[in-house]
Amino acid sequence: MAQPQKPQRRREPEIPVAPVALDKKGDALLALLPEVFEAFDVEFGAAVDEVVVTAKPQDVPAICRLAKEDPRLDLTYLRCLSVVDYEERLEVSYHLFSLDKRHKMVLKASVPPDEPFVPSIVSIWRGADWFEREGHDLFGVVFQGHPNLAPLLLYEGFEGFPGRRSFPFHEYNEY
Amino acid sequence: MEVIQQGGNTPAESIFEHVLPNAVTANSSELFGLARKSSLWTLSFGLACCAIEMMSTHMSHHDFDRFGVITWPSPRQADVMIVAGTVVKKMADPIKLLYEQMPDPKWVIAMGSCATNGGPYYRSYSVVMGVDHLIPVDVYVPGCPPRPEALMYGIMQLQDKIAKDAKERGATPETAT
Amino acid sequence: MQVQRQPTQQADTIDLMVNMGPQHPSTHGVFRVVLWIDGERIVRAEPHIGYLHRGSEKLCEGELYSQVITLFDRLDYVSNLNCELAFCLAVEKLMALEIPDRASYIRVILCELNRIASHMLFYGVYGLDTGAMTPILYGFRERERIQALFETVTGARMMHNYIRVGGLRHDLPEDFVPKMAELMDHLKRGVEECDDLLSNNEMFIARTKGIGPISGEDAIEFGVTGPALRAAGVLEDVRISEPYSIYDRFEFGIPVGTYGDCWDRYYVRIEEMRQSMSIIEQAMEQMEPGPTVSALRRITRPPKGETYMRTESPRGDFGVFLVSDGSDKPYRVKVRAPSFANLQALQHLFRNAYVADAVVILGSIDIILGEVDR
């Protein structure tokens, strides 16, 4: 993998992008997915070694349920639910894995930062409970249908969403 | 000891001359200081990684029991609170409550750099930069995490401090002789 | 005086709320559970976490990649090398970097040693939870031996900061091979001794058998991983389902339990220690001299992209979701901590349990608050 060239003065160094490196299982899954998800408006892609499915926020529970119950996919294990703050949108990623077939998939949905509403998937995986609470706590994403979105990691009365890029670091000050 | 029959107001012989050198005399406050420093019961209050090194210090390799230090879960019977680990703002109220529940005389050891001044988390939004913002600290043990030998040295410094305070009985540097 | 007798069916009862507060001898750190109990049975349990939330994920966005490794050390502070390894593998996957063989072997040896040390800590503290005061001394004796070896290799007993992007910080010392052989000797006898002391003890079995069972399907739904999942009967280990580093070159067994109760979770870890020792021996035989760092620039700048790296830490599936924007600092680091997910099953595990079993069940999940709260 070539490192970027040492930048000359007054020239923007070009930022390399990580190449796609799907293995055989990833390729097979990528070929299978358009057929399984043909009822939804989704885009398919790949990120290094993961198959990425980008969907609309409202479709997320239906897609997750289909991924979990469809015997061809059998993605029964929710590995991680994370929120990333790209300045103009918040992106929620659902990392799914199949314990039997050992293939994996990432489902992504983007929401605008001022109206971050995503339906909750707690009814599909009970293990998504605290991940969604953390997403709400640190980023402000509201998971509709979640039974209890109380603060998980921050104390009561904390103002602001510290996970977002706009939240400042505590500049070191002794007092 | 024989009773000396004499007339008049003659004081009896001093008992010390008869029992010395088998007895030691001391000030009562120094004696209490000796007792307090030799049997420091620590409140088991491990917050984070330093707690593991604190546990190692209590175990058989670097034995803490030979200093008289036993870890005790209840604050009502503990003398020392070793704050081992990062103090987070959510935890600040329980720490103050625990400190107030400990009876006097009590001491606090801030173990590790997180309890001293925030440590590697000094830019974090949810960390209190040192436990001395909340409670008065007697000994600071630096390190991340401090070795068990460092914590033992911290306890020994605390013992010296207790002995010195007992000797001076609250004298300030201006009034100390 | 006439005593009015009231039949007990008409008595009003309310559940007693008991707070196992942040400072508690058996909550393995600053963890708070609020229990509602009816007599001796637990009706409901509400865990409260966040008492150790230090904002590590946010801090990672402001530090260089080599500085982030020190933050990862302090996440799961009992198995530091496994956390460092996960992060370094994530960055190396993004950069598509080839690691020299010797570095990979050393990484595997140290991570497996760290797994043994972590399980020894679990063993000692679990004995203490069930009321036995001796196992913790034996467990920590073995841990001290391992930490002494770590000190000669990495320079520190706990926060090693040794596994770097591209390999290791420096090579092993010269006397590593004889010291390792001696340590293996001690550890074999130590593990057998620890097993003898506690596993078949009648009181220990009475306190842990049949307590807090969880079925395989429930465990997968909650996201429970690691020894807790394997004790429930599901054969799932990241080292065999998605082999990372060079784990595909070793032959080792995966202990799997039957009932998913506390005793199974405990014994799976004892067996894992034996399997770890077997991996270490195979690695020591296969390892050859060579370079330990691949040629890298001084400041790591991975290409733009994102990746999810999954490793098997002693507690379960430790995942790192790394998003990079091409600069020398990560854009977003999300840590998927196994204890965070395992703890969500607490309410399920506490059903039909007595109050006295609460501590035993909590101890058997083996949580470390550093990674739960990050």
Side-chain angles (χ1 to χ4, degrees), chain B residues 43-45 47 49 52-53 56 59 62 73 86 90-91 121 124-126 144-145 147, chain C residues 22-23 25 30 49-54 59 62 74 77 137 140 143-144 151 157-159:
Chain B
L43 178 65
S44 51
F45 195 44
L47 292 164
C49 350
I52 309 291
E53 288 293 61
S56 280
M59 291 301 132
H62 319 267
T86 322
K90 195 168 178 179
M91 193 65 196
Y121 299 99
S124 167
Y125 50 85
S126 71
C144 191
R147 289 185 60 100
Chain C
Q23 188 266 340
V30 275
I49 60 172
Y51 290 96
L52 197 57
H53 178 66
R54 302 175 273 199
L59 283 177
R74 286 151 179 84
Y77 39 78
L137 298 166
F140 267 82
R143 230 183 106 79
E144 288 288 332
E151 206 178 342
R157 284 164 54 100
M158 263 179 82
M159 304 304 172

mmCIF file of all heavy atoms in Angstrom, chain B residues 43-45 47 49 52-53 56 59 62 73 86 90-91 121 124-126 144-145 147, chain C residues 22-23 25 30 49-54 59 62 74 77 137 140 143-144 151 157-159:
data_model
loop_
_atom_site.group_PDB
_atom_site.id
_atom_site.type_symbol
_atom_site.label_atom_id
_atom_site.label_comp_id
_atom_site.label_asym_id
_atom_site.label_seq_id
_atom_site.Cartn_x
_atom_site.Cartn_y
_atom_site.Cartn_z
ATOM 1 N N LEU B 43 -10.585 2.063 53.092
ATOM 2 C CA LEU B 43 -11.883 1.829 52.454
ATOM 3 C C LEU B 43 -11.603 1.284 51.067
ATOM 4 O O LEU B 43 -10.864 1.890 50.297
ATOM 5 C CB LEU B 43 -12.630 3.151 52.358
ATOM 6 C CG LEU B 43 -13.998 3.129 51.687
ATOM 7 C CD1 LEU B 43 -14.955 2.309 52.479
ATOM 8 C CD2 LEU B 43 -14.512 4.543 51.548
ATOM 9 N N SER B 44 -12.167 0.107 50.773
ATOM 10 C CA SER B 44 -11.879 -0.476 49.464
ATOM 11 C C SER B 44 -12.627 0.326 48.419
ATOM 12 O O SER B 44 -13.817 0.164 48.234
ATOM 13 C CB SER B 44 -12.304 -1.940 49.421
ATOM 14 O OG SER B 44 -13.622 -2.078 49.869
ATOM 15 N N PHE B 45 -11.937 1.230 47.775
ATOM 16 C CA PHE B 45 -12.579 2.183 46.892
ATOM 17 C C PHE B 45 -11.815 2.258 45.582
ATOM 18 O O PHE B 45 -11.324 3.307 45.181
ATOM 19 C CB PHE B 45 -12.617 3.546 47.587
ATOM 20 C CG PHE B 45 -13.558 4.497 46.922
ATOM 21 C CD1 PHE B 45 -14.801 4.076 46.529
ATOM 22 C CD2 PHE B 45 -13.188 5.789 46.682
ATOM 23 C CE1 PHE B 45 -15.662 4.928 45.908
ATOM 24 C CE2 PHE B 45 -14.044 6.654 46.069
ATOM 25 C CZ PHE B 45 -15.278 6.224 45.687
ATOM 26 N N LEU B 47 -11.575 2.598 41.845
ATOM 27 C CA LEU B 47 -12.443 3.104 40.794
ATOM 28 C C LEU B 47 -12.084 2.496 39.449
ATOM 29 O O LEU B 47 -12.939 2.053 38.725
ATOM 30 C CB LEU B 47 -12.314 4.623 40.707
ATOM 31 C CG LEU B 47 -12.862 5.399 41.891
ATOM 32 C CD1 LEU B 47 -12.337 6.812 41.858
ATOM 33 C CD2 LEU B 47 -14.354 5.421 41.859
ATOM 34 N N CYS B 49 -8.250 1.426 36.862
ATOM 35 C CA CYS B 49 -7.074 0.578 36.733
ATOM 36 C C CYS B 49 -6.183 0.549 37.973
ATOM 37 O O CYS B 49 -5.590 -0.477 38.291
ATOM 38 C CB CYS B 49 -6.230 1.015 35.542
ATOM 39 S SG CYS B 49 -7.012 2.221 34.502
ATOM 40 N N ILE B 52 -6.541 -2.287 40.435
ATOM 41 C CA ILE B 52 -5.908 -3.594 40.253
ATOM 42 C C ILE B 52 -4.532 -3.597 40.912
ATOM 43 O O ILE B 52 -4.132 -4.581 41.551
ATOM 44 C CB ILE B 52 -5.796 -3.930 38.759
ATOM 45 C CG1 ILE B 52 -7.133 -3.755 38.062
ATOM 46 C CG2 ILE B 52 -5.273 -5.326 38.561
ATOM 47 C CD1 ILE B 52 -8.155 -4.755 38.450
ATOM 48 N N GLU B 53 -3.793 -2.493 40.787
ATOM 49 C CA GLU B 53 -2.494 -2.438 41.456
ATOM 50 C C GLU B 53 -2.674 -2.346 42.966
ATOM 51 O O GLU B 53 -1.855 -2.849 43.731
ATOM 52 C CB GLU B 53 -1.675 -1.253 40.952
ATOM 53 C CG GLU B 53 -1.160 -1.439 39.553
ATOM 54 C CD GLU B 53 -0.108 -2.543 39.429
ATOM 55 O OE1 GLU B 53 -0.435 -3.700 39.724
ATOM 56 O OE2 GLU B 53 1.020 -2.255 39.047
ATOM 57 N N SER B 56 -3.182 -5.807 44.008
ATOM 58 C CA SER B 56 -1.910 -6.525 43.999
ATOM 59 C C SER B 56 -1.097 -6.218 45.244
ATOM 60 O O SER B 56 -0.390 -7.075 45.763
ATOM 61 C CB SER B 56 -1.081 -6.113 42.786
ATOM 62 O OG SER B 56 -1.495 -6.768 41.650
ATOM 63 N N MET B 59 -2.116 -8.288 48.161
ATOM 64 C CA MET B 59 -1.958 -9.739 48.054
ATOM 65 C C MET B 59 -0.598 -10.187 48.548
ATOM 66 O O MET B 59 0.218 -9.398 48.971
ATOM 67 C CB MET B 59 -2.171 -10.173 46.609
ATOM 68 C CG MET B 59 -3.573 -10.014 46.165
ATOM 69 S SD MET B 59 -4.688 -10.976 47.177
ATOM 70 C CE MET B 59 -5.939 -9.793 47.535
ATOM 71 N N HIS B 62 3.343 -8.465 47.525
ATOM 72 C CA HIS B 62 3.712 -7.227 48.240
ATOM 73 C C HIS B 62 2.681 -7.094 49.336
ATOM 74 O O HIS B 62 1.705 -6.413 49.181
ATOM 75 C CB HIS B 62 3.585 -5.991 47.345
ATOM 76 C CG HIS B 62 4.054 -6.182 45.951
ATOM 77 N ND1 HIS B 62 5.324 -5.886 45.555
ATOM 78 C CD2 HIS B 62 3.410 -6.601 44.849
ATOM 79 C CE1 HIS B 62 5.423 -6.122 44.271
ATOM 80 N NE2 HIS B 62 4.298 -6.552 43.813
ATOM 81 N N PRO B 73 -14.770 -2.849 53.568
ATOM 82 C CA PRO B 73 -15.776 -2.265 52.670
ATOM 83 C C PRO B 73 -16.610 -1.139 53.241
ATOM 84 O O PRO B 73 -17.080 -0.297 52.506
ATOM 85 C CB PRO B 73 -16.666 -3.459 52.318
ATOM 86 C CG PRO B 73 -16.319 -4.555 53.230
ATOM 87 C CD PRO B 73 -15.027 -4.262 53.855
ATOM 88 N N THR B 86 -9.807 7.104 38.140
ATOM 89 C CA THR B 86 -10.303 8.380 37.637
ATOM 90 C C THR B 86 -11.572 8.787 38.365
ATOM 91 O O THR B 86 -12.471 7.986 38.548
ATOM 92 C CB THR B 86 -10.633 8.239 36.152
ATOM 93 O OG1 THR B 86 -9.669 7.408 35.552
ATOM 94 C CG2 THR B 86 -10.635 9.569 35.474
ATOM 95 N N LYS B 90 -19.872 12.202 37.462
ATOM 96 C CA LYS B 90 -21.048 11.490 37.981
ATOM 97 C C LYS B 90 -20.751 10.858 39.324
ATOM 98 O O LYS B 90 -21.662 10.623 40.120
ATOM 99 C CB LYS B 90 -21.449 10.404 36.975
ATOM 100 C CG LYS B 90 -22.811 9.824 37.176
ATOM 101 C CD LYS B 90 -23.222 8.980 35.981
ATOM 102 C CE LYS B 90 -24.571 8.341 36.194
ATOM 103 N NZ LYS B 90 -25.017 7.548 35.070
ATOM 104 N N MET B 91 -19.486 10.563 39.590
ATOM 105 C CA MET B 91 -19.106 9.871 40.813
ATOM 106 C C MET B 91 -18.769 10.848 41.917
ATOM 107 O O MET B 91 -18.492 10.450 43.045
ATOM 108 C CB MET B 91 -17.890 8.986 40.498
ATOM 109 C CG MET B 91 -17.517 7.978 41.510
ATOM 110 S SD MET B 91 -18.764 6.746 41.715
ATOM 111 C CE MET B 91 -18.236 6.040 43.247
ATOM 112 N N TYR B 121 -6.588 11.864 31.111
ATOM 113 C CA TYR B 121 -7.909 12.318 30.666
ATOM 114 C C TYR B 121 -8.100 13.802 30.898
ATOM 115 O O TYR B 121 -9.207 14.275 31.120
ATOM 116 C CB TYR B 121 -8.997 11.535 31.406
ATOM 117 C CG TYR B 121 -8.888 10.071 31.125
ATOM 118 C CD1 TYR B 121 -8.275 9.207 32.015
ATOM 119 C CD2 TYR B 121 -9.372 9.543 29.934
ATOM 120 C CE1 TYR B 121 -8.142 7.873 31.737
ATOM 121 C CE2 TYR B 121 -9.248 8.216 29.655
ATOM 122 C CZ TYR B 121 -8.625 7.381 30.552
ATOM 123 O OH TYR B 121 -8.496 6.066 30.268
ATOM 124 N N SER B 124 -10.815 15.683 28.946
ATOM 125 C CA SER B 124 -12.126 15.058 28.841
ATOM 126 C C SER B 124 -13.205 15.952 29.413
ATOM 127 O O SER B 124 -12.964 16.771 30.302
ATOM 128 C CB SER B 124 -12.087 13.730 29.577
ATOM 129 O OG SER B 124 -13.375 13.255 29.747
ATOM 130 N N TYR B 125 -14.429 15.746 28.927
ATOM 131 C CA TYR B 125 -15.540 16.585 29.364
ATOM 132 C C TYR B 125 -16.179 16.089 30.641
ATOM 133 O O TYR B 125 -17.010 16.749 31.215
ATOM 134 C CB TYR B 125 -16.617 16.644 28.276
ATOM 135 C CG TYR B 125 -17.010 15.273 27.765
ATOM 136 C CD1 TYR B 125 -17.971 14.494 28.415
ATOM 137 C CD2 TYR B 125 -16.407 14.752 26.632
ATOM 138 C CE1 TYR B 125 -18.303 13.254 27.946
ATOM 139 C CE2 TYR B 125 -16.739 13.497 26.164
ATOM 140 C CZ TYR B 125 -17.688 12.762 26.824
ATOM 141 O OH TYR B 125 -18.019 11.521 26.358
ATOM 142 N N SER B 126 -15.817 14.900 31.091
ATOM 143 C CA SER B 126 -16.564 14.351 32.213
ATOM 144 C C SER B 126 -15.674 13.903 33.355
ATOM 145 O O SER B 126 -16.100 13.149 34.199
ATOM 146 C CB SER B 126 -17.399 13.159 31.758
ATOM 147 O OG SER B 126 -16.550 12.083 31.484
ATOM 148 N N CYS B 144 1.086 5.773 36.694
ATOM 149 C CA CYS B 144 -0.088 5.416 35.924
ATOM 150 C C CYS B 144 0.016 3.984 35.425
ATOM 151 O O CYS B 144 0.400 3.767 34.287
ATOM 152 C CB CYS B 144 -0.277 6.362 34.750
ATOM 153 S SG CYS B 144 -1.869 6.169 33.947
ATOM 154 N N PRO B 145 -0.300 2.957 36.195
ATOM 155 C CA PRO B 145 -0.607 3.044 37.618
ATOM 156 C C PRO B 145 0.663 2.996 38.461
ATOM 157 O O PRO B 145 1.682 2.512 37.985
ATOM 158 C CB PRO B 145 -1.435 1.770 37.854
ATOM 159 C CG PRO B 145 -0.900 0.806 36.874
ATOM 160 C CD PRO B 145 -0.439 1.587 35.681
ATOM 161 N N ARG B 147 3.373 1.620 40.929
ATOM 162 C CA ARG B 147 3.741 0.267 41.286
ATOM 163 C C ARG B 147 3.282 -0.025 42.712
ATOM 164 O O ARG B 147 3.145 0.904 43.507
ATOM 165 C CB ARG B 147 5.253 0.103 41.217
ATOM 166 C CG ARG B 147 5.819 0.109 39.833
ATOM 167 C CD ARG B 147 7.278 -0.193 39.940
ATOM 168 N NE ARG B 147 7.473 -1.498 40.546
ATOM 169 C CZ ARG B 147 7.744 -2.599 39.857
ATOM 170 N NH1 ARG B 147 7.851 -2.536 38.567
ATOM 171 N NH2 ARG B 147 7.897 -3.733 40.469
ATOM 172 N N PRO C 22 -22.558 2.555 44.015
ATOM 173 C CA PRO C 22 -21.303 2.551 43.275
ATOM 174 C C PRO C 22 -20.125 2.050 44.098
ATOM 175 O O PRO C 22 -19.206 1.473 43.546
ATOM 176 C CB PRO C 22 -21.094 4.006 42.872
ATOM 177 C CG PRO C 22 -22.250 4.768 43.343
ATOM 178 C CD PRO C 22 -23.177 3.889 44.040
ATOM 179 N N GLN C 23 -20.138 2.253 45.403
ATOM 180 C CA GLN C 23 -19.052 1.707 46.200
ATOM 181 C C GLN C 23 -19.571 0.454 46.882
ATOM 182 O O GLN C 23 -20.421 0.519 47.752
ATOM 183 C CB GLN C 23 -18.581 2.734 47.242
ATOM 184 C CG GLN C 23 -17.329 2.323 47.977
ATOM 185 C CD GLN C 23 -17.619 1.632 49.279
ATOM 186 O OE1 GLN C 23 -18.695 1.763 49.831
ATOM 187 N NE2 GLN C 23 -16.671 0.882 49.782
ATOM 188 N N PRO C 25 -18.216 -3.788 47.797
ATOM 189 C CA PRO C 25 -17.057 -4.677 47.664
ATOM 190 C C PRO C 25 -17.169 -5.662 46.524
ATOM 191 O O PRO C 25 -16.168 -6.172 46.060
ATOM 192 C CB PRO C 25 -17.014 -5.403 49.012
ATOM 193 C CG PRO C 25 -18.322 -5.178 49.636
ATOM 194 C CD PRO C 25 -18.849 -3.906 49.102
ATOM 195 N N VAL C 30 -16.972 0.656 39.826
ATOM 196 C CA VAL C 30 -18.041 1.572 40.163
ATOM 197 C C VAL C 30 -19.265 1.261 39.319
ATOM 198 O O VAL C 30 -19.437 1.779 38.229
ATOM 199 C CB VAL C 30 -17.611 3.033 39.969
ATOM 200 C CG1 VAL C 30 -16.914 3.499 41.171
ATOM 201 C CG2 VAL C 30 -16.713 3.160 38.765
ATOM 202 N N ILE C 49 -24.924 2.651 34.910
ATOM 203 C CA ILE C 49 -23.492 2.733 34.651
ATOM 204 C C ILE C 49 -23.147 4.186 34.351
ATOM 205 O O ILE C 49 -23.987 5.059 34.425
ATOM 206 C CB ILE C 49 -23.076 1.825 33.474
ATOM 207 C CG1 ILE C 49 -23.809 2.236 32.208
ATOM 208 C CG2 ILE C 49 -23.351 0.389 33.806
ATOM 209 C CD1 ILE C 49 -23.295 1.522 30.995
ATOM 210 N N GLY C 50 -21.926 4.433 34.023
ATOM 211 C CA GLY C 50 -21.519 5.787 33.689
ATOM 212 C C GLY C 50 -20.697 6.420 34.781
ATOM 213 O O GLY C 50 -20.308 7.572 34.670
ATOM 214 N N TYR C 51 -20.404 5.669 35.861
ATOM 215 C CA TYR C 51 -19.611 6.253 36.929
ATOM 216 C C TYR C 51 -18.133 6.237 36.596
ATOM 217 O O TYR C 51 -17.326 6.731 37.375
ATOM 218 C CB TYR C 51 -19.859 5.484 38.237
ATOM 219 C CG TYR C 51 -21.248 5.715 38.780
ATOM 220 C CD1 TYR C 51 -22.267 4.829 38.506
ATOM 221 C CD2 TYR C 51 -21.537 6.839 39.535
ATOM 222 C CE1 TYR C 51 -23.539 5.047 38.982
ATOM 223 C CE2 TYR C 51 -22.800 7.063 40.015
ATOM 224 C CZ TYR C 51 -23.800 6.162 39.730
ATOM 225 O OH TYR C 51 -25.068 6.384 40.200
ATOM 226 N N LEU C 52 -17.770 5.653 35.448
ATOM 227 C CA LEU C 52 -16.372 5.710 35.028
ATOM 228 C C LEU C 52 -16.297 6.191 33.581
ATOM 229 O O LEU C 52 -15.362 5.877 32.847
ATOM 230 C CB LEU C 52 -15.732 4.322 35.166
ATOM 231 C CG LEU C 52 -14.215 4.259 35.159
ATOM 232 C CD1 LEU C 52 -13.637 5.113 36.234
ATOM 233 C CD2 LEU C 52 -13.753 2.832 35.327
ATOM 234 N N HIS C 53 -17.260 6.992 33.159
ATOM 235 C CA HIS C 53 -17.259 7.441 31.768
ATOM 236 C C HIS C 53 -16.251 8.565 31.620
ATOM 237 O O HIS C 53 -16.473 9.680 32.060
ATOM 238 C CB HIS C 53 -18.655 7.919 31.377
ATOM 239 C CG HIS C 53 -18.728 8.442 29.981
ATOM 240 N ND1 HIS C 53 -18.537 7.641 28.889
ATOM 241 C CD2 HIS C 53 -18.938 9.673 29.493
ATOM 242 C CE1 HIS C 53 -18.637 8.346 27.795
ATOM 243 N NE2 HIS C 53 -18.893 9.596 28.137
ATOM 244 N N ARG C 54 -15.128 8.257 30.983
ATOM 245 C CA ARG C 54 -14.045 9.227 30.910
ATOM 246 C C ARG C 54 -13.977 9.902 29.549
ATOM 247 O O ARG C 54 -13.146 10.758 29.340
ATOM 248 C CB ARG C 54 -12.710 8.514 31.176
ATOM 249 C CG ARG C 54 -12.692 7.821 32.513
ATOM 250 C CD ARG C 54 -11.453 7.025 32.722
ATOM 251 N NE ARG C 54 -11.576 5.699 32.193
ATOM 252 C CZ ARG C 54 -10.797 4.688 32.550
ATOM 253 N NH1 ARG C 54 -9.846 4.890 33.437
ATOM 254 N NH2 ARG C 54 -10.954 3.499 32.021
ATOM 255 N N LEU C 59 -11.804 11.545 23.235
ATOM 256 C CA LEU C 59 -10.403 11.929 23.365
ATOM 257 C C LEU C 59 -9.570 11.358 22.237
ATOM 258 O O LEU C 59 -8.598 11.974 21.810
ATOM 259 C CB LEU C 59 -9.840 11.432 24.704
ATOM 260 C CG LEU C 59 -10.219 12.218 25.935
ATOM 261 C CD1 LEU C 59 -9.641 11.548 27.153
ATOM 262 C CD2 LEU C 59 -9.722 13.627 25.850
ATOM 263 N N GLY C 62 -8.690 13.499 19.260
ATOM 264 C CA GLY C 62 -7.751 14.605 19.358
ATOM 265 C C GLY C 62 -6.315 14.155 19.529
ATOM 266 O O GLY C 62 -5.452 14.965 19.853
ATOM 267 N N ARG C 74 -6.131 1.588 28.693
ATOM 268 C CA ARG C 74 -6.862 1.807 29.922
ATOM 269 C C ARG C 74 -8.334 1.476 29.817
ATOM 270 O O ARG C 74 -9.096 1.699 30.747
ATOM 271 C CB ARG C 74 -6.677 3.272 30.361
ATOM 272 C CG ARG C 74 -5.290 3.490 30.906
ATOM 273 C CD ARG C 74 -4.782 4.894 30.705
ATOM 274 N NE ARG C 74 -3.457 5.023 31.287
ATOM 275 C CZ ARG C 74 -2.336 4.674 30.669
ATOM 276 N NH1 ARG C 74 -2.370 4.213 29.451
ATOM 277 N NH2 ARG C 74 -1.174 4.782 31.275
ATOM 278 N N TYR C 77 -8.714 -2.663 31.552
ATOM 279 C CA TYR C 77 -7.415 -2.491 32.183
ATOM 280 C C TYR C 77 -6.829 -3.769 32.749
ATOM 281 O O TYR C 77 -5.796 -3.717 33.384
ATOM 282 C CB TYR C 77 -7.467 -1.414 33.266
ATOM 283 C CG TYR C 77 -8.704 -1.395 34.112
ATOM 284 C CD1 TYR C 77 -8.897 -2.304 35.132
ATOM 285 C CD2 TYR C 77 -9.671 -0.436 33.897
ATOM 286 C CE1 TYR C 77 -10.028 -2.263 35.905
ATOM 287 C CE2 TYR C 77 -10.816 -0.384 34.666
ATOM 288 C CZ TYR C 77 -10.988 -1.302 35.674
ATOM 289 O OH TYR C 77 -12.109 -1.250 36.428
ATOM 290 N N LEU C 137 -5.563 -15.214 46.716
ATOM 291 C CA LEU C 137 -4.116 -15.186 46.925
ATOM 292 C C LEU C 137 -3.397 -16.054 45.908
ATOM 293 O O LEU C 137 -2.345 -15.687 45.391
ATOM 294 C CB LEU C 137 -3.811 -15.672 48.350
ATOM 295 C CG LEU C 137 -4.408 -14.781 49.451
ATOM 296 C CD1 LEU C 137 -4.367 -15.488 50.772
ATOM 297 C CD2 LEU C 137 -3.667 -13.483 49.539
ATOM 298 N N PHE C 140 -3.602 -14.287 42.404
ATOM 299 C CA PHE C 140 -2.686 -13.165 42.258
ATOM 300 C C PHE C 140 -1.236 -13.602 42.279
ATOM 301 O O PHE C 140 -0.375 -12.915 41.731
ATOM 302 C CB PHE C 140 -2.953 -12.119 43.351
ATOM 303 C CG PHE C 140 -3.906 -11.064 42.905
ATOM 304 C CD1 PHE C 140 -5.268 -11.281 42.949
ATOM 305 C CD2 PHE C 140 -3.447 -9.869 42.398
ATOM 306 C CE1 PHE C 140 -6.149 -10.309 42.502
ATOM 307 C CE2 PHE C 140 -4.316 -8.896 41.963
ATOM 308 C CZ PHE C 140 -5.674 -9.120 42.016
ATOM 309 N N ARG C 143 -0.620 -14.288 38.773
ATOM 310 C CA ARG C 143 -0.641 -13.022 38.047
ATOM 311 C C ARG C 143 0.663 -12.264 38.232
ATOM 312 O O ARG C 143 1.173 -11.632 37.308
ATOM 313 C CB ARG C 143 -1.803 -12.182 38.558
ATOM 314 C CG ARG C 143 -2.698 -11.630 37.494
ATOM 315 C CD ARG C 143 -3.747 -10.768 38.115
ATOM 316 N NE ARG C 143 -3.483 -9.372 37.885
ATOM 317 C CZ ARG C 143 -3.746 -8.758 36.757
ATOM 318 N NH1 ARG C 143 -4.253 -9.407 35.744
ATOM 319 N NH2 ARG C 143 -3.482 -7.475 36.626
ATOM 320 N N GLU C 144 1.219 -12.313 39.452
ATOM 321 C CA GLU C 144 2.475 -11.601 39.690
ATOM 322 C C GLU C 144 3.594 -12.184 38.843
ATOM 323 O O GLU C 144 4.451 -11.459 38.336
ATOM 324 C CB GLU C 144 2.865 -11.698 41.178
ATOM 325 C CG GLU C 144 2.015 -10.877 42.099
ATOM 326 C CD GLU C 144 2.292 -9.399 41.975
ATOM 327 O OE1 GLU C 144 3.414 -9.026 41.622
ATOM 328 O OE2 GLU C 144 1.370 -8.607 42.220
ATOM 329 N N GLU C 151 7.075 -7.239 32.632
ATOM 330 C CA GLU C 151 7.929 -6.101 32.932
ATOM 331 C C GLU C 151 9.268 -6.217 32.215
ATOM 332 O O GLU C 151 9.810 -5.224 31.748
ATOM 333 C CB GLU C 151 8.153 -6.007 34.427
ATOM 334 C CG GLU C 151 8.464 -4.618 34.852
ATOM 335 C CD GLU C 151 8.638 -4.524 36.332
ATOM 336 O OE1 GLU C 151 8.194 -5.440 37.033
ATOM 337 O OE2 GLU C 151 9.224 -3.535 36.760
ATOM 338 N N ARG C 157 4.222 -3.170 34.292
ATOM 339 C CA ARG C 157 3.422 -4.286 34.793
ATOM 340 C C ARG C 157 2.039 -4.284 34.175
ATOM 341 O O ARG C 157 1.464 -5.322 33.924
ATOM 342 C CB ARG C 157 3.284 -4.183 36.318
ATOM 343 C CG ARG C 157 4.490 -4.589 37.091
ATOM 344 C CD ARG C 157 4.363 -4.078 38.483
ATOM 345 N NE ARG C 157 3.119 -4.491 39.080
ATOM 346 C CZ ARG C 157 3.012 -5.511 39.923
ATOM 347 N NH1 ARG C 157 4.067 -6.203 40.260
ATOM 348 N NH2 ARG C 157 1.846 -5.828 40.433
ATOM 349 N N MET C 158 1.485 -3.117 33.958
ATOM 350 C CA MET C 158 0.107 -3.097 33.490
ATOM 351 C C MET C 158 -0.108 -2.345 32.190
ATOM 352 O O MET C 158 -0.597 -2.906 31.243
ATOM 353 C CB MET C 158 -0.801 -2.501 34.558
ATOM 354 C CG MET C 158 -1.479 -3.529 35.380
ATOM 355 S SD MET C 158 -2.490 -2.796 36.628
ATOM 356 C CE MET C 158 -3.942 -2.443 35.710
ATOM 357 N N MET C 159 0.213 -1.077 32.129
ATOM 358 C CA MET C 159 -0.132 -0.309 30.925
ATOM 359 C C MET C 159 1.050 -0.383 29.967
ATOM 360 O O MET C 159 1.958 0.418 30.009
ATOM 361 C CB MET C 159 -0.430 1.142 31.291
ATOM 362 C CG MET C 159 -1.515 1.261 32.315
ATOM 363 S SD MET C 159 -3.011 0.436 31.772
ATOM 364 C CE MET C 159 -3.983 0.530 33.236
#
